[in-house]
Structures are given as structure tokens and as C-alpha cells.
Amino acid sequence: MSTPSRPRRRHFIPFALITSATLLLTACGSGDSGGTGSGGSDAQAAANSDGIPTTDVVSSVKKDAAAAKLLPSGVGSLNIAVSVSGQPPGTSYLEDGKTLAGQDVDFAKAVAKTLGIELDYEAASFEAILPALDSGKYDLGVGNFGVTDERRRTIDFVTYVNDGQGFATRDDSKLTKITDLKQLCGLNVATTAGTTFEATLEDNKKVCTDAGKDAYKVQTYSEQGAIWSSLQQGRSDIVMSTINGLRYAVAHQEGVKFLNEYHRLDVGFAFKKGTKLAPAFQAAVNELIADGTYEKILKKWGTTGSEIEQSQISPPEIKD
């Protein structure tokens, strides 16, 4: 089993200090990218001082009468919960500290315009959104929510991209490609709380003890910046997170490398189980695919490797 060498002290570069010129770098990190990676070369050049893409690809979207007709009667506005990761292509705040920007937000805005409705946005922690949907606090949520069979028991999804799970580490690590979680035995693995990454890691800890090896330790954080600080400073050996998020991160900070995609998942808008909103949202996503807006959003955020051919309502979890 390959194990990481002891970390060299490196300077962690906060995303807020990344210049807009840095966005012109490719968003593909080192490692086996295959043909499904996201490419920063797709991204538009316009960005704010924090390096967040700002090109407007949504305002020109027109209402589609056929999709809007699928909405339940009387729906004019919806409350949407947004998970703020602080790391593109996930959602971040712009300089005013109030405006939300990210791939999920762009898709939500585009769908709302297609349906002719308003969305009232509220930032919420990732782990709190899905339970809050069931309670009726929000009408829908976004935050790169992967579609799993476990989640489908209580949540309905309308898919709009395909992302999934991947790994990254320091560039002085001997780790190369993670194909078996036994490769993590004895290591400290940093990830986000309440995610499929945490669930995957916790559910499979026994692979190490069953093999007579020390279990890996799962370290959970609520903010992406804390995860990368932990890795850079040597408190963690490896990061498990979204494929798109990892590729973006390693392209915009020194001393880290993308290892590989581990498991792909469909990603979708999340609703309370039994929602009547799903058919309209599915039709809206498919209209965005047809009129070219969908591709513009992916290119803006450098995530064309996550393209889907058509939206689905709560498809089975991808098992491959």
C-alpha cells in the first residue's frame, strides 16, 4: 500500500486571494482525468476579485409555456435553501457578503426564469437542508446533492448534472489513484460533514480492520477552507470531496494534486418526497439543455465533464 510522505510546510492560498487571471488556468488537476473531467479552460474570463466567475449566462432565459404549465396551480414563488461551500463551482458569496454565486445558483435561476416563477434564496448548512425539506421549511434545496438510494427514500430529485466522489492530496504524497478504500488504512481523511463522502467512509471503515490494518480516521469539516488548511498543514493526509470541487481547488492553489474520480453520482434539485414540482423542474432543465443555456452554465463554471443528456426524476443511484 502506498502511504504519503511526511508533509512539507506549504502556504495555503485562500480562494479570496486568487486573482481573476488565475481563472485562466486549467481546472484539471494532476492525475488520471480520463474524458470526464471538468476543464477550467471552458470557463468564461469574467470574474470578480475573489476569482468567482461572474459572466451572466442566465438573464436572457425566456419563460417556456409548456414547462410552466406543469407547475401546480397557484405557484408563483418558492423558498430555496442553498448550501454555501465557499469554493467554486459550489456556491460562494460575492464581495457584498449577500449575493450568492455558483453553478447550483445559476441552474436554479435559469429554471426559475424558464418556469416564470420567483425564488427566495436562503443560505443553509449542507447537512441541515434535506431534513428541513421534509419539515416544510423550504420548498427545494441545492448544494450538489448526489442522488443515492438512501436519500430517495425521503427526498425527490430532479437531476441537472453528474458529479460524484473523488480524492486529492498534497503533491508530495506517494498516493496516486484510490481504487480501494483499503488504500486509506491508517490515514486521516478530511471531508465535509453530512455528505455522501462521510457516509461512504464511515460505512466502509471495517475494510481496514477486516484486513488486519489500522482503520482510517474520518475528519469532518463544515467549510471547504478548513478542509484544505487541514491537508496543507499535515493534519489530514487526503481529501474526499466532489470531483468538480477538487479539480477546481487543485488548479487554484499550490501544493495539492487531484488523484482520481472514485464514484460518479447524479446531482439534482432536492424536494420533499412526493412533491408535485418535479415534472415542471424536469421539463425546465430539459428546455435549458435544448436551448443551449445548459452548456453555457457548464462552460462558465468549467464543468462540461458533468453534462447530462436529459434530466430525470429520482433515478436509481449509479452503482458503477
Side-chain angles (χ1 to χ4, degrees):
M1 179 187 73
S2 297
T3 56
S5 58
R6 299 308 302 165
R8 299 192 299 269
R9 296 288 292 181
R10 294 184 182 275
H11 177 61
F12 173 66
I13 305 174
F15 283 105
L17 298 182
I18 298 173
T19 65
S20 59
T22 310
L23 278 176
L24 300 179
L25 293 172
T26 176
C28 288
S30 58
D32 180 15
S33 62
T36 56
S38 59
S41 58
D42 291 329
Q44 304 295 323
N48 71 359
S49 60
D50 290 338
I52 300 173
T54 57
T55 301
D56 178 10
V57 294
V58 174
S59 63
S60 62
V61 175
K62 305 298 182 183
K63 180 179 177 179
D64 181 76
K69 187 179 290 187
L70 296 175
L71 284 169
S73 178
V75 173
S77 65
L78 298 171
N79 297 319
I80 180 171
V82 182
S83 172
V84 180
S85 69
Q87 175 185 297
T91 302
S92 305
Y93 286 107
L94 296 183
E95 290 98 329
D96 61 9
K98 298 181 293 183
T99 304
L100 297 171
Q103 177 175 268
D104 293 325
V105 172
D106 274 352
F107 274 117
K109 289 180 177 178
V111 165
K113 290 181 71 67
T114 302
L115 296 176
I117 61 175
E118 298 291 330
L119 293 179
D120 295 323
Y121 296 86
E122 182 175 334
S125 63
F126 182 94
E127 61 270 25
I129 293 177
L130 297 186
L133 294 174
D134 189 58
S135 71
K137 183 177 182 179
Y138 307 115
D139 296 307
L140 70 153
V142 291
N144 208 70
F145 289 111
V147 180
T148 67
D149 290 340
E150 177 65 26
R151 286 175 173 170
R152 290 194 306 137
R153 295 176 183 175
T154 57
I155 299 293
D156 282 339
F157 292 94
V158 174
T159 63
Y160 56 92
V161 292
N162 177 272
D163 193 352
Q165 304 173 338
F167 290 98
T169 188
R170 294 180 298 274
D171 64 4
D172 60 354
S173 171
K174 293 181 180 179
L175 287 170
T176 54
K177 185 175 183 179
I178 305 299
T179 58
D180 189 324
L181 294 183
K182 287 197 290 290
Q183 293 172 261
L184 304 179
C185 296
L187 303 181
N188 294 323
V189 186
T191 195
T192 311
T195 60
T196 60
F197 319 117
E198 180 185 13
T200 296
L201 292 168
E202 292 291 354
D203 290 347
N204 289 280
K205 269 187 174 180
K206 63 180 181 180
V207 301
C208 293
T209 53
D210 287 351
K213 300 179 179 181
D214 293 336
Y216 50 76
K217 181 179 180 181
V218 182
Q219 301 169 317
T220 58
Y221 300 88
S222 60
E223 297 180 356
Q224 290 293 322
I227 290 176
W228 292 108
S229 292
S230 177
L231 181 71
Q232 293 273 21
Q233 295 170 11
R235 298 192 304 275
S236 301
D237 300 300
I238 193 168
V239 171
M240 187 179 191
S241 189
T242 67
I243 295 166
N244 288 335
L246 291 174
R247 289 185 185 280
Y248 190 98
V250 301
H252 294 86
Q253 60 179 311
E254 297 176 355
V256 292
K257 63 182 180 181
F258 179 75
L259 292 181
N260 61 286
E261 298 179 6
Y262 180 72
H263 177 53
R264 280 268 171 180
L265 285 173
D266 289 316
V267 171
F269 295 102
F271 303 86
K272 181 179 180 179
K273 190 72 175 177
T275 182
K276 295 182 180 180
L277 295 168
F281 272 71
Q282 180 192 29
V285 174
N286 286 333
E287 174 60 23
L288 294 172
I289 293 173
D291 72 13
T293 302
Y294 181 84
E295 183 179 7
K296 291 178 182 178
I297 294 174
L298 295 184
K299 285 185 175 181
K300 172 181 176 179
W301 296 101
T303 57
T304 53
S306 287
E307 181 179 3
I308 60 174
E309 293 184 0
Q310 63 179 4
S311 177
Q312 300 180 77
I313 297 176
S314 297
E317 179 181 348
I318 296 173
K319 297 294 187 179
D320 295 336

